[in-house]
Structures are given as C-alpha cells and as structure tokens.
C-alpha cells in the first residue's frame, strides 16, 4: 500500500471545496457576488465554480451589495439557497438594510412560512495591510441582529465544515472568514472526507488548568501562540475557539471557566459594546462562584480601523494577552 | 524650436469607437399618460373586463372607507388609504396569472385583497397582530413591505430564480413615488435589466411622499423616464383610468413573460386621503387640488364609460354597491373579534430551532405567564 503525499490545503481552498461540494450536492445552491465568476473572487475562493457549474449557478452580479443580498432574498423565496459574497467586511454595509429588515426577520414575520436559507460570506478582520474599509471586524453588528446565525472558522477543517453547515442551514448564516487566515494551512487533508460542523459548538483547542482564553477566528492562532509562551511563566492556559458566535456555546465556555477559574476574552474588534462584553457578562452570570478574578478583555482599540502601518499596535498580540493573563493573579494583588 | 517640435509632432491615438448599447428612443415614455376611458380606445376594450374592474373598484373604495373607519374605532392600529388609487391597486392584482407573484408595499393592502388574500389576514400587520397574517405562498403575495423599495430587489430575485428553473412566472412589484428615490429602487431596476428578469415595476405616483411633493422628490422629466437609464421601457399611464392601467400592465406582463425583460410603469394618480389616518394633509396641500382629483375619480370615470355605452345600468351599479356592502359588513364583523395571540409565539419562529439563549428566555416567559395565571381573577384571559 503506497501513501501519496497530499499537499495541505489552505483555508481559501477549503472554502472553495465546501462551495463546490455544496453546489454538486444540491442544484438549489447558487453562488453570487461581485467578481465571483470569471475572476474567481478577489481571494479566489470561488475559483473555477462558474466554469464547472455555469454562470447561472455562479453569477457575477452588478456592483451593488444591497442588490446582491436583496435579489438573493427573492431567490431564496423561490426555493434557491443563495450563497452571497460580500467582497470585504466594510463593503457589506450598504446591504445592512436588506440584512436587518428582511434576511434576519422574514422567517419570524411570516410565522415560519417563509424561511430564507441564505449564506452571507464576509471576508473580515485586519492583519493583511489592507487600506481603509478592507479590515473591519463587524461581528458585533451581526451578533446584535436576532434571526442571524454568525460563525467564524479559525482552522482549515472548520472553514470547510462551517461553510457546509451554513449552506445546509434553513436559516440565514453570516460566515465571517478571517482573511489573514485565508492562506494558512494545517494538517487537514483535502482528499479526506471532511466533517460538516454543527453550528453552535465551541471547541477546546488546547487544554489547560490555570486560565481560559476565549477567542475566535483570526485571534485563535494568536492565543495558541500566547498559550505556548505562557508556559515559561508557569501558566497552563486553555484555549477555547468559539467557532459560532450565534448561537453561543455557553456550555463549553462555562465548563472551561469552571475548571480554570479565570478567563480572558480575546478578539480584534473593539471592546466597548463588543462581543467580549457579552461573553464576560455571560460567564459572570453563570460561573460567578467559580471565578478567581474578573473576566478580562483583550481587544482592538475602540477606534475606526487604523491605517496598515499602525495596525500592529491595534491588533491584540501575544504580549497584550500575556499581560492580561498576568493581571489574572487577582488574589495576590488584592 | 519648441520641445514638442524637437520630439516630432504629437499624434493623439483616436479613442475606440463608441456606440450606445441600446437605442434609447423606443424606451422613452410617451409625452402624455396613456388613457382609454373617454377615448376611441375604449371601444376596443373587453366589456367583461371593464365590468369586472368596475365591481372591484367599488369594492376597493368600500374597503378603504371601512378600514379607515376601523382605525377610528381602534380596531386597526394604522391604515394608509388608497382612496383615489383603486384603479392601480385592482389592475395590479387582476393582471397577474395564478402562478405570478405580487410584491406589495405597506400601502397596497387593497391589491393584496384583490389578489384573493382574505381581507382580515391582509390587515394583520396594520392591526398590530403578527406582522404577516397570510401565507405568502398561498396566493403568491410577498409580505407587505414597510421599508421603502426594499421589496423591489426581492421581486427581481424571485423572477430571476423562476426563470432559471424554467417556470413561467412574472413578478409585479409596487412602489410609490417617494420609493423611487431610494437606493434599492435603483439597484432593483439595474439588476432586473441586466438579468432581463421577468419583472414589472409599478410606480404609483400619488403626488406626495407623506408631505413631500414630487417636485422635491425628483428632477426627472417623469418617473417613467428613469427606465431609459437602465435600458428598459418606461410607460406613463393615467393611474385613475382602470382600463388604461390594466392594458399597460398587461402589455408589460406579456412582454416580461415572453422573455423581453422588465418594464417600468408610472401610473399618475392621487392620494385623496391623508398619508395615513394619523396624518394631517391640510398642512401641505390645498383643497382645490384635492377637489380637482376628486372629479377625476377612478370609479366615476369607469362608471360614465360603462353607462354611456349601455354596459351598466342602475341595477348593475346597485348590485356592485350591495356586493361591496356585504364585504364591508363581513370585514367589520371579523375585525371586531379580538385575535388570539399566544405570547410563546414570540420565540417560535426566530430560527428554525430556538437557540439555547432563546430557550432560556422562553422558559422565563413561560414562568411569568404561569405566575400571572395564578393571580388572574376567575375568567381572566391573556391578551
């Protein structure tokens, strides 16, 4: 028996395969957006789909995000399962009225008669040196909108699994794709069948005993690195990758915090009214008696996304995480 | 010798030849709104269709007055009347085949009812009961849309999807003059034209967006002229002439069904009542203007045509009135019954399956309702 060396896939390639597999499995799946056809998307995530499935199934639309999402609503009303691409995080904002006024609430306002199975792919977050409007972390807006599911993968396998689950979902799902991880590779073998991840489950990426880092998307690899570095300081950190922001997996998060007694939430978006505030509050409400220290947040600053030359000062890095971990020695200080 | 001369004479490269993508002339609307009633064209109209339109107009007017009365009795939270605009509402519904779809705005309850939706269910949103009372798939009527023009891209997407599936379906989307200023109007028309989607856009130009007159809404020669910029035909029609509106819409629907793509129809009409029962129209328009339009009433126009040509007599008029009264009485009776709302429904349809945190909130409300029931006096009910 010979083993063939398989080139590890990037996250972008895993997403492409998820789209291709979903389109092959269900003729109702349609991919649409600006540049998704001939060009294959500016990140090449839709590469080859127009050729393989035809331009009716992978459609270059006019440049208009409200129009892209608004027509997707009508297509979903007629039984299709549109997968729309918003080219960059901040480009999605013109589509917010369609998202909030229709996509998120049509199931509810029609008493379940008209579900809208739409997947909205949004390349998001910083760290790639993008100029203004190309690096926003917009997850809080999506999380604050009832009726939407919000997922964000951090590994190549999860990128595949979560996108497949999003397309299979009968509800609208916002898939936030960390664009600085598009070219990351891990041990996932693209030739093997990949699991479709159920939406709503966090995963412990690294077990530990002294504190929990709760994170998602682009900050997961940073937290893994911080956890390694913390060993030198005598800290054994657990890293929880949320994967799904809505629904939120209180069970996995709280089980971890109850074990470790300490928690730091890490994300790129701002901390004020950001996801970390919600997560810290949920932990405090559920695990108060297990906590040895307040839940801390390590986040981006509460500023409009900075210019590329300064973004390294804005994005939470290993040092800032370790500094927070140091502040978790609450008893010793008080 | 100048620098240019030293380098040799500069010869600019001629630009590539330019040609318009579409000949704009056939897309332009006529100078005058199209009219049938009172003209020679009326002789060619199908008498049966005219009588049907008349019966529906009379019913529609009665529906408008009844619904407005229900707001005064507190039975309807709000009602945006279409008195004076019934011809547009009725024609929009009657022009469609069973498999076609109607995309109404919040003002178009009458079109929804004319399409066959139960009048009480059509008023569900406006009475403050659940947001959409009817099943959109039963009569192929999209939910009443409150944000302006956002239903137009839905109509385009649905029509496009139907065509991709090979189905014979046309979508008719309704919007007001104010809605044409919204970005979604532009995006919907552009997508429809690029995709050649089988859609008809009906703009009911009723003169005002709440209080803002058309002159402050647009500088275009007419709203129908906007079609040319998208590469689709624009048609202007007298919106109070039911026969003309029906004919123009029927043409546009036929054109769409045959693969000809979208049409923008501007119907020139007038909102005789205020924006809603909560609006004071005397602040922004004079009685004389309203009076002019009252004289150009859609029901009177059609009635004169039909009686003048011996197609309708006093008995026929009375029969239409009786029919409308029966509808109004049934509507009153049904609207006077309190709808039974289940508070637990608040969580039932947010997602296909409630999320864990919604399940927690569901439990909280269940406990609150149980506690309320314990303290409720005998015979008390939840409202």
């Amino acid at each position: 028996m010979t083993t063939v060396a398989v080139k590890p896939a990037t996250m972008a390639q895993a997403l492409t395969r998820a789209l291709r597999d979903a389109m092959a499995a269900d003729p109702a799946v349609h991919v649409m957006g600006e540049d998704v056809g001939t060009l294959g998307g500016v990140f090449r995530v839709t590469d080859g789909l127009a050729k393989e499935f035809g331009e009716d199934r992978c459609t270059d639309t006019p440049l208009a995000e409200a129009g892209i999402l608004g027509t997707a609503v009508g297509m979903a009303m007629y039984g299709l399962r549109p997968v729309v691409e918003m080219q960059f995080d901040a480009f999605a904002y013109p589509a917010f009225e369609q998202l909030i006024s229709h996509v998120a609430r049509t199931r509810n306002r029609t008493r379940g008669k008209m579900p809208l199975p739409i997947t909205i792919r949004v390349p998001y977050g910083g760290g790639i040196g993008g100029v203004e409007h190309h690096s926003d972390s917009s997850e809080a807006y999506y999380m604050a909108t009832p009726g939407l599911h919000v997922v964000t993968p951090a590994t190549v396998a999860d990128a595949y699994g979560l996108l497949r689950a999003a397309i299979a979902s009968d509800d609208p799902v916002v898939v936030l794709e960390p664009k600085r991880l598009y070219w990351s590779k891990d041990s996932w073998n693209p030739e093997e069948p990949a699991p479709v991840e159920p939406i709503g489950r966090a995963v412990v990426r690294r077990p530990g005993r002294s504190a929990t880092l709760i994170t998602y998307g682009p900050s997961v690899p940073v937290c893994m690195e911080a956890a390694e570095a913390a060993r030198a300081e005598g800290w054994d950190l657990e890293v929880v990758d949320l994967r799904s922001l809505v629904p939120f997996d209180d069970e996995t998060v709280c089980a971890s915090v109850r074990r470790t007694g300490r928690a730091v939430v890490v994300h790129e978006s701002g901390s004020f009214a950001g996801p970390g505030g919600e997560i810290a509050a949920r932990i405090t409400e559920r695990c108060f008696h297990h906590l040895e220290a307040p839940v801390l947040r390590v986040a981006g600053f509460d500023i409009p996304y900075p210019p590329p030359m300064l973004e390294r000062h804005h994005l939470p890095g290993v040092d800032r995480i370790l500094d927070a971990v140091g502040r978790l020695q609450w008893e010793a200080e008080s | 010798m100048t620098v240019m001369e030293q380098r040799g004479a500069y010869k600019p490269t001629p630009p590539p030849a330019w040609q318009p993508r579409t000949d704009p002339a056939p897309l332009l609307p006529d100078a005058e709104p199209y009219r049938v009633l009172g003209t020679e064209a009326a002789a060619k109209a199908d008498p049966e269709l005219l009588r049907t339109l008349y019966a529906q107009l009379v019913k529609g007017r009665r529906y408008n007055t009844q619904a407005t009365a229900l707001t005064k009795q507190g039975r309807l939270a709000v009602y945006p009347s279409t008195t004076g605009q019934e011809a547009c509402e009725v024609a929009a519904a009657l022009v469609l085949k069973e498999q076609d779809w109607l995309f109404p705005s919040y003002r178009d309850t009458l079109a929804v009812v004319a399409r066959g939706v139960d009048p009480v269910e059509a008023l569900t949103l406006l009475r403050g009961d659940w947001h959409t009372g009817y099943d959109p798939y039963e009569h192929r009527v999209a939910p009443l849309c409150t944000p302006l023009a956002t239903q137009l891209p839905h109509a385009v997407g649905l029509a496009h999807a139907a065509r991709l599936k090979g189905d014979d379906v046309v979508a008719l989307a309704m919007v007001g003059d104010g809605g044409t200023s919204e970005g979604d109007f532009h995006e919907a028309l552009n997508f429809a034209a690029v995709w050649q989607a089988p859609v008809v856009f009906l703009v009911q130009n009723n003169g005002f967006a709440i209080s803002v007159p058309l002159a402050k809404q647009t500088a275009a020669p007419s709203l129908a002229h906007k079609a040319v910029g998208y590469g689709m035909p624009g048609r202007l029609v007298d919106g109070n002439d039911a026969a003309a509106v029906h004919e123009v819409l029927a043409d546009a629907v036929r054109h769409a069904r045959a693969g000809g793509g979208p049409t923008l129809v501007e119907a020139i009409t007038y909102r005789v009542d205020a924006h809603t029962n909560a609006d004071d129209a005397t602040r922004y328009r004079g009685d004389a203007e309203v009076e002019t339009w009252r004289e150009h009433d859609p029901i009177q126009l059609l009635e004169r045509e039909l009686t003048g040509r011996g197609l309708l007599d006093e008995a026929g008029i009375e029969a239409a009135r009786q029919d409308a009264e029966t509808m109004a009485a049934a509507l009153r009776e049904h609207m006077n019954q309190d709808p039974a709302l289940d508070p637990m429904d608040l969580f039932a349809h947010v997602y296909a399956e409630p999320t864990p945190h919604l399940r927690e909130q569901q439990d909280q409300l269940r406990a609150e309702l149980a506690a309320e029931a314990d303290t409720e006096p005998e015979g008390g009910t939840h409202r």
Side-chain angles (χ1 to χ4, degrees), chain A residues 56 64 66-68 70-71 73-75 77-78 80 97-98 102 107-109 111-113 147-149 171 282 286, chain B residues 130-132 136-137 143-145 147 150 153-154 157-158 161-162 164-165 167 184 187 191 345 349 351-352 357 360:
Chain A
D56 282 347
I68 293 168
T71 50
V73 168
M75 290 164 73
M77 285 176 169
Y78 204 75
L80 299 186
E97 185 179 18
Q98 285 293 341
H102 297 293
R107 172 189 285 279
N108 190 54
R109 75 191 299 269
R111 317 307 300 133
K113 296 288 191 332
L148 301 177
H149 290 306
D171 285 317
R282 298 182 83 80
R286 285 166 174 75
Chain B
W130 269 103
H131 306 311
T132 303
Y137 292 101
L144 286 173
C145 186
T150 53
H154 305 169
L158 182 135
L164 289 180
K165 283 191 176 184
D167 296 346
D184 281 56
E187 297 192 21
F191 271 69
D345 262 6
H349 301 292
Y351 298 96
H357 90 264
E360 279 174 21

Side-chain angles (χ1 to χ4, degrees), chain A residues 68-312:
Chain A
I68 293 168
L69 190 53
T71 50
V73 168
M75 290 164 73
M77 285 176 169
Y78 204 75
L80 299 186
R81 303 182 88 86
V83 182
V84 309
E85 177 176 300
M86 296 288 156
Q87 201 161 74
F88 282 91
D89 30 58
F91 295 4
Y93 302 151
F96 266 40
E97 185 179 18
Q98 285 293 341
L99 184 79
I100 289 158
S101 292
H102 297 293
V103 174
R105 67 173 92 188
T106 296
R107 172 189 285 279
N108 190 54
R109 75 191 299 269
T110 60
R111 317 307 300 133
K113 296 288 191 332
M114 195 172 245
L116 294 179
I118 301 173
T119 301
I120 302 154
R121 296 182 36 244
V122 187
Y124 88 121
I128 63 159
V131 295
E132 200 181 5
H133 303 297
H134 292 71
S135 298
D136 283 13
S137 296
S138 35
E139 58 267 38
Y141 306 134
Y142 300 107
M143 290 172 73
T145 304
L148 301 177
H149 290 306
V150 186
V151 299
T152 174
T155 67
V156 176
D158 274 1
Y160 180 88
L162 288 171
L163 183 52
R164 285 300 302 271
I167 297 170
S169 170
D170 287 333
D171 285 317
V173 182
V174 178
V175 181
L176 297 169
E177 301 173 356
K179 57 173 106 65
R180 71 168 136 135
L181 299 184
Y182 269 150
W183 303 279
S184 67
K185 296 172 182 177
D186 57 30
S187 56
W188 186 61
N189 176 348
E191 304 299 318
E192 296 286 316
V196 174
E197 286 301 327
I199 289 174
R201 294 210 194 134
V203 66
V204 176
R205 286 274 170 233
R206 183 192 193 279
R209 286 174 294 108
S210 7
T212 304
L213 300 181
I214 297 151
T215 188
Y216 55 85
S219 295
V220 172
V222 185
C223 285
M224 294 296 279
E225 201 187 326
E228 280 307 308
R231 280 164 51 169
E233 315 273 333
W235 287 88
D236 178 22
L237 298 180
E238 182 149 308
V239 177
V240 172
D241 173 2
L242 292 172
R243 305 200 288 191
S244 168
L245 301 175
V246 183
F248 189 82
D249 185 355
D250 289 296
E251 211 178 305
T252 302
V253 168
C254 291
S256 174
V257 174
R258 286 188 189 117
R259 275 196 301 275
T260 63
R262 292 175 169 88
V264 180
V265 189
V266 182
H267 57 61
E268 282 186 20
S269 74
S271 62
F272 186 80
E278 173 63 31
I279 296 166
R282 298 182 83 80
I283 292 171
T284 309
E285 286 171 356
R286 285 166 174 75
C287 316
F288 184 69
H289 293 293
H290 294 82
L291 286 175
E292 306 286 343
V295 181
L296 298 182
R297 287 169 290 173
V298 176
F301 295 127
D302 295 317
I303 56 171
Y305 199 84
M309 288 180 182
L310 292 174
E311 69 178 348
R312 70 186 179 87

Side-chain angles (χ1 to χ4, degrees), chain A residues 36-72:
Chain A
V36 300
T38 309
L39 184 66
V42 294
F43 293 106
R44 305 291 181 270
V45 170
T46 56
D47 195 20
L49 299 178
K51 211 167 200 179
E52 190 172 343
F53 297 98
E55 287 178 17
D56 282 347
R57 297 270 315 273
C58 179
T59 308
D60 272 333
T61 62
L63 202 173
E65 289 75 14
I68 293 168
L69 190 53
T71 50

